[in-house]
Amino acid sequence: MADATRPVRRVLRVSGIVQGVGFRPFVYGRARALGLAGHVLNEGSDVVIDVEGSAAAIARLRSQLEADSPPRSDIRAVSMEEHPPLGRSGFSIVQSVGTHGPGRRLPPDTATCDACLREIRDPAERRHGHPFANCTDCGPRLSIVRDAPYDRSRTTMAAFALCPACQREYDDPTNRRFHAQPIACPACGPRLSLLSESGAPCSAVDPLAECARRLLAGQIGALKGLGGFHLACDATRSSVVAELRRRKLRDDKPFALMVANLEAAEAIAELDDAARALLCSVERPIVLVRQRADASLPDSLAPGLERIGLMLPYTPLHHLLLDAVEPMPLVMTSGNRSDEPMATDNARALEELRGVADFFLVHDRDIFIRVDDSVVALLDGAPSVLRRARGFAPRAIELPHALSIPTLGVGAQFKNVFALGEGTTALPSSHIGDLDTRAAQEELTRCYDLYRRLLCIEPERIVHDLHPDYASTRWARELATRTGAELCAVQHHHAHFAACLAENEHQGAALGVTFDGMGLGADGTSWGGEFLLGTAADVERVATLAPLRLPGGDAAVREPWRIALGWLHDAGIAPSRVAALSTLEPTQLERVSRLLHSRTLCPRASGAGRYFDAVAALLGLTLVSTFDGQAPMRLEALAHRAEARLPPYSFAVSDAWPREVDLRPALAELVDDLAQPLPRPTIALRFHDTMAEVIRVVVRAPGATRTTRTVALSGGVFCNSLLTERTLSLLRDDDLTVLVHRRVPTGDGGIALGQLAVLAARDERGASALGRSDAGTTGGKEPAGGA
């Protein structure tokens, strides 16, 4: 029988998010308490624990690793090997080893912890008022990392030598800053500076206090934060908000607000327990919440919308600033001109935001990776990420199937996110944004190069959208030519569907309802109101919404009244019956009416989002859109004000395959409602209920769910919580399992994950058609053949 007291030696390797989260100090404390000897270190992306002592104590250590690890860590795997004991005494943290193996993970930036917050507010503490306080439980991570393993020398904090007091904390195993890499204090930096509009230094003894004074006086400031610059101003003064809009060239797109604390948030928004928990979470995202009716806020913050984006401070700088201006809420919007990436370095901010900001609050800690604020909504009582960035990225998402080779998914044109994949692990980037500008495209290339190097993944295959004119598609082709990587494509709505399956860890068949604005279909036409039956590997188009005319092509997306005019034309309804269209110039109507008969200048698209655009125009809400999603967002906001709920409008579903949903009967009834006149909110709600009923009827149609009882909802239209929750209710009443997005955006921010999920499913199945542009997506001819 083995001697239970005889020392043994084990080497444990812990994988996941285990660097930059206080994991080594945690191991150090537990090992010492258990009387174990050895050491712990970062090695590549892992933490390696070389430990010896009794087998029982080592078993307890391993159990504690998996059951009681630091709150910011995310353990994916723990392996253990036996080795001969060395007879060591004592336990230590040793120098990291910078190996370049696969499997690296980067920790996200996290909000200021309660302990650091108490310090910066306590005059007796040496970090009182310090805007860069942090510890192993909080502070910058992804935004400052230059290389892995995660050590101070490989971050932008390397420029700041530790003062003696900070060095003692860093070396003290009993201190919560033990081996905290971004550790900082007033003596060793970083430091704030206040600059004028021209970039000249301002003579301010306390830059932060002077910044607060100027904001209270109605000025607009550019503030360098954690992952980039914000533009900030008094959110209660309509004249200041209007001036920010004029300077930033942002007509109507809503501004996010930052308030000092939960009490201040309760004063302006309707919060339930789920919203409070989200606001106070370590991710500290922008949370979409309903504004209180008695809140003294100008309508210009979110024109025509019922929800506002609200967040709490997430850095010491923000806490100190909001404390100084409390109870005033601040507009806190991205530091850029319209459609450009957010500025991150001081020189670029001074150049790009000159004429927008009245002053600049900057600091001397470099931001290595731009990180936007995340946006989260509450859907069916639980969080649903709409923009995945600070606090969430680049956390890994496990794929249900394994990729055979390292793969890059380049995402889509809008709300771009790319994703690197290896094995069963997908690593989506932080939000990049729309790729319409050269600056945005350069940002995509720069971020990819950083992630590739930091995560140590060299893609051997690149997957892109079918659309040949997407900037992401062109970039994928250029990258493949330069690197020799294999190139393949996945259809847009197939990727939406696969992303929903992947994040829900669903491996089998499902019926995907993929509703968005538009995406190129497998048959070369524009899709967007699709019902796809199949698995992540292969889908069959079983139904679609009837395509709408888009007079003038992209111009119709910017001017939804054009879509409404085309829909009226197809239904044989005179535009004169719609009062909202009477505000247009007769020459405009005549010109667009002529376009309706052009094959080249009036394409058709089945996008569900285009139907919402058209109804918003018919109700006079949005004749011209100034940002993506404006018309549907206003339509949803109007529907929430309805006082009565009427039965859904009529529609027809064809028997031909794929089935086609004809909504012209709904349009005729909607125009009759306008003529009564029925209250606009009631019409808006009735249309939402109609679209939910369309989904229910198609799902219940013969053959739609012949192989599954699971339905997956994906696509940007499902950012609409009213539509989504109504659909969930109807489908659950039919005893169907319904999957929705929670961890990645339902919109195009989830496309890259879906691209990887499709390739992984085909790899695991051993498919041979990986390079075919239309592989796995059929046009819906019955019976379907799947690639």
Side-chain angles (χ1 to χ4, degrees):
M1 180 180 292
D3 185 353
T5 63
R6 182 181 178 184
V8 297
R9 180 185 172 204
R10 301 287 186 266
V11 175
L12 291 81
R13 180 174 292 271
V14 189
S15 303
I17 297 179
V18 289
Q19 295 185 13
V21 292
F23 203 87
R24 288 177 299 168
F26 163 78
V27 172
Y28 176 92
R30 295 305 172 95
R32 298 253 303 188
L34 290 168
L36 296 169
H39 63 258
V40 60
L41 77 158
N42 285 339
E43 185 174 286
S45 63
D46 301 336
V47 166
V48 175
I49 309 164
D50 188 338
V51 64
E52 55 187 284
S54 73
I58 293 176
R60 283 196 295 273
L61 175 65
R62 177 168 183 171
S63 175
Q64 291 174 7
L65 294 180
E66 298 176 332
D68 194 27
S69 59
R72 310 297 189 265
S73 65
D74 183 10
I75 295 176
R76 294 290 176 179
V78 179
S79 64
M80 187 166 66
E81 297 177 352
E82 296 185 18
H83 290 270
L86 300 176
R88 294 168 293 180
S89 62
F91 196 89
S92 63
I93 295 178
V94 301
Q95 183 68 35
S96 298
V97 178
T99 58
H100 292 274
R104 287 185 176 180
R105 299 291 179 272
L106 299 174
D109 302 294
T110 54
T112 308
C113 70
D114 291 341
C116 285
L117 189 56
R118 284 192 295 270
E119 281 184 337
I120 65 172
R121 288 175 171 165
D122 185 351
E125 291 284 349
R126 71 185 190 92
R127 288 187 176 84
H128 174 242
H130 185 52
F132 304 100
N134 64 84
C135 68
T136 54
D137 288 334
C138 69
R141 297 294 189 271
L142 174 65
S143 58
I144 64 170
V145 174
R146 293 183 184 273
D147 204 352
Y150 177 74
D151 285 314
R152 188 181 183 91
S153 62
R154 296 178 176 90
T155 73
T156 60
M157 286 300 296
F160 304 95
L162 292 178
C163 69
C166 283
Q167 188 67 58
R168 284 193 295 271
E169 291 174 326
Y170 185 88
D171 294 335
D172 181 0
T174 65
N175 194 289
R176 78 173 196 281
R177 292 191 170 92
F178 182 45
H179 281 241
Q181 306 307 329
I183 187 173
C185 80
C188 53
R191 295 175 180 83
L192 290 175
S193 301
L194 195 73
L195 307 177
S196 69
E197 180 183 7
S198 64
C202 298
S203 56
V205 176
D206 184 342
L208 195 59
E210 178 62 15
C211 169
R213 188 193 68 77
R214 294 186 181 209
L215 291 173
L216 287 166
Q219 292 190 22
I220 297 169
L223 282 54
K224 186 178 182 181
L226 186 70
F229 276 79
H230 282 114
L231 288 166
C233 71
D234 182 350
T236 65
R237 296 167 66 169
S238 58
S239 61
V240 177
V241 174
E243 180 61 14
L244 176 57
R245 287 199 177 280
R246 186 190 70 80
R247 296 184 191 180
K248 189 174 161 63
L249 307 177
R250 186 166 174 165
D251 295 335
D252 299 302
K253 195 172 183 179
F255 285 139
L257 305 185
M258 182 178 282
V259 294
N261 48 47
L262 206 52
E263 182 180 359
E266 298 269 14
I268 61 176
E270 298 176 4
L271 305 180
D272 58 15
D273 288 344
R276 294 185 193 96
L278 258 181
L279 285 168
C280 296
S281 67
V282 296
E283 293 85 6
R284 290 290 169 98
I286 297 170
V287 182
L288 299 185
V289 291
R290 289 191 185 185
Q291 182 178 324
R292 287 174 59 103
D294 58 354
S296 300
L297 294 174
D299 293 337
S300 56
L301 289 171
L305 306 181
E306 59 139 9
R307 294 191 294 181
I308 55 174
L310 196 62
M311 61 178 158
L312 298 185
Y314 54 85
T315 71
L317 187 154
H318 292 129
H319 280 287
L320 294 168
L321 177 61
L322 270 294
D323 285 350
V325 301
E326 192 181 7
M328 183 178 81
L330 293 179
V331 167
M332 200 68 74
T333 189
S334 55
N336 57 3
R337 292 185 186 270
S338 186
D339 298 327
E340 295 288 338
M342 178 173 59
T344 55
D345 66 86
N346 298 347
R348 180 177 168 183
L350 287 167
E351 177 185 351
E352 295 182 357
L353 301 179
R354 185 166 296 171
V356 180
D358 296 313
F359 67 92
F360 294 80
L361 183 69
V362 302
H363 57 74
D364 52 356
R365 184 184 71 202
D366 288 341
I367 297 169
F368 202 64
I369 297 180
R370 178 175 67 89
V371 184
D372 288 88
D373 293 318
S374 293
V375 180
V376 180
L378 286 165
L379 176 66
D380 194 35
S384 179
V385 174
L386 301 183
R387 184 167 76 197
R388 190 175 185 268
R390 176 183 51 76
F392 295 97
R395 287 180 188 163
I397 293 177
E398 293 303 305
L399 298 168
H401 308 279
L403 291 158
S404 62
I405 55 176
T407 304
L408 166 66
V410 300
Q413 174 74 14
F414 303 107
K415 300 174 179 61
N416 181 266
V417 167
F418 65 85
L420 287 161
E422 191 166 43
T424 58
T425 300
L427 294 153
S429 73
S430 185
H431 171 80
I432 303 294
D434 296 349
L435 300 180
D436 292 334
T437 66
R438 180 180 295 275
Q441 294 164 21
E442 291 173 349
E443 182 70 10
L444 169 62
T445 299
R446 177 181 175 275
C447 286
Y448 163 70
D449 286 340
L450 289 172
Y451 274 72
R452 174 186 57 79
R453 179 166 51 82
L454 293 172
L455 295 169
C456 203
I457 296 177
E458 294 292 341
E460 298 175 27
R461 178 174 56 190
I462 302 171
V463 54
H464 59 83
D465 191 273
L466 273 182
H467 202 300
D469 296 329
Y470 278 1
S472 57
T473 301
R474 294 195 300 270
W475 178 65
R477 289 172 175 163
E478 293 166 3
L479 194 60
T481 299
R482 190 165 67 247
T483 63
E486 179 185 347
L487 189 66
C488 52
V490 167
Q491 197 275 328
H492 190 85
H493 302 94
H494 186 179
H496 269 309
F497 171 58
C500 190
L501 298 185
E503 77 155 278
N504 284 280
E505 301 177 356
H506 184 80
Q507 294 191 13
L511 176 65
V513 183
T514 52
F515 278 13
D516 63 3
M518 68 175 70
L520 186 63
D523 60 1
T525 64
S526 291
W527 293 5
E530 310 310 316
F531 295 82
L532 306 176
L533 179 63
T535 65
D538 306 299
V539 291
E540 172 190 0
R541 189 190 195 198
V542 296
T544 183
L545 301 182
L548 288 170
R549 297 173 188 259
L550 305 181
D554 288 345
V557 178
R558 297 188 296 271
E559 300 178 357
W561 66 267
R562 293 172 177 250
I563 307 173
L565 195 67
W567 195 15
L568 291 168
H569 172 85
D570 284 347
I573 300 172
S576 58
R577 292 193 60 197
V578 180
L581 299 183
S582 66
T583 62
L584 298 167
E585 293 291 333
T587 54
Q588 287 179 289
L589 290 171
E590 291 171 9
R591 186 173 64 253
V592 173
S593 293
R594 288 196 297 270
L595 288 176
L596 292 172
H597 302 284
S598 170
R599 288 188 176 183
T600 56
L601 299 178
C602 189
R604 292 175 177 265
S606 62
R610 302 289 81 92
Y611 280 93
F612 282 84
D613 288 344
V615 173
L618 292 168
L619 295 182
L621 294 174
T622 310
L623 296 180
V624 177
S625 292
T626 61
F627 66 91
D628 179 52
Q630 181 181 17
M633 289 166 68
R634 286 187 167 181
L635 188 64
E636 180 187 4
L638 182 66
H640 275 292
R641 299 203 296 269
E643 296 180 355
R645 186 166 227 148
L646 300 180
Y649 291 120
S650 301
F651 56 89
V653 181
S654 71
D655 293 328
W657 205 267
R659 301 181 190 279
E660 186 172 277
V661 180
D662 183 358
L663 283 158
R664 287 176 298 178
L667 175 61
E669 294 173 5
L670 188 152
V671 171
D672 287 343
D673 283 351
L674 285 171
Q676 286 191 36
L678 209 63
R680 291 193 311 162
T682 302
I683 298 173
L685 178 60
R686 194 176 183 190
F687 175 72
H688 278 79
D689 287 350
T690 300
M691 296 303 282
E693 181 67 10
V694 164
I695 295 171
R696 186 187 71 85
V697 168
V698 172
V699 168
R700 293 178 64 182
T705 52
R706 60 182 179 271
T707 60
T708 180
R709 296 291 295 170
T710 300
V711 178
L713 306 181
S714 189
V717 168
F718 291 110
C719 291
N720 184 319
S721 61
L722 180 62
L723 171 70
T724 307
E725 289 173 355
R726 181 63 173 168
T727 302
L728 285 170
S729 176
L730 293 176
L731 297 182
R732 287 168 178 166
D733 285 347
D734 289 342
D735 293 325
L736 292 165
T737 298
V738 188
L739 309 178
V740 296
H741 287 273
R742 298 291 183 190
R743 295 184 291 159
V744 298
T746 189
D748 282 4
I751 288 289
L753 175 66
Q755 290 169 341
L756 294 185
V758 171
L759 270 292
R762 293 179 186 169
D763 284 352
E764 200 158 283
R765 188 192 59 186
S768 60
L770 293 175
R772 288 174 45 197
S773 291
D774 62 345
T777 306
T778 76
K781 294 181 180 179
E782 190 177 16

